[in-house]
Amino acid sequence: AASDVYKRQEVWAERGSTVNLRVRPSRDAVVRVRVPIGEVVEVLDETNETWWYVLYLKTTGYMMREFLREQDG
């Protein structure tokens, strides 16, 4: 539900095989890790309409919201 503290989202993109997880909510920020398409992350904070702060495995960082979608099912 939307009220859950942690929302699980699937990493998705039309092109490419990975999505960048960055140290700050900026395209200029250093990439902390490249997350493969199809992986699931937990949304810790909906920082703004462009960037969300997420947890992937044991790594936190910012991912563009356009590359996240609700898991099927």
Side-chain angles (χ1 to χ4, degrees), residues 1-32:
S3 60
D4 290 350
V5 175
Y6 299 106
K7 290 204 316 195
R8 295 169 71 78
Q9 295 272 314
E10 180 184 354
V11 176
W12 177 87
E14 288 185 5
R15 293 185 296 281
S17 59
T18 62
V19 171
N20 294 326
L21 188 69
R22 297 180 183 271
V23 297
R24 290 183 296 106
S26 166
R27 285 180 181 270
D28 299 326
V30 171
V31 175
R32 189 166 273 169

Side-chain angles (χ1 to χ4, degrees), residues 18-51:
T18 62
V19 171
N20 294 326
L21 188 69
R22 297 180 183 271
V23 297
R24 290 183 296 106
S26 166
R27 285 180 181 270
D28 299 326
V30 171
V31 175
R32 189 166 273 169
V33 67
R34 290 180 171 86
V35 182
I37 301 303
E39 290 291 299
V40 173
V41 300
E42 290 185 1
V43 177
L44 304 181
D45 186 50
E46 297 179 10
T47 308
N48 57 43
E49 60 187 19
T50 305
W51 296 91

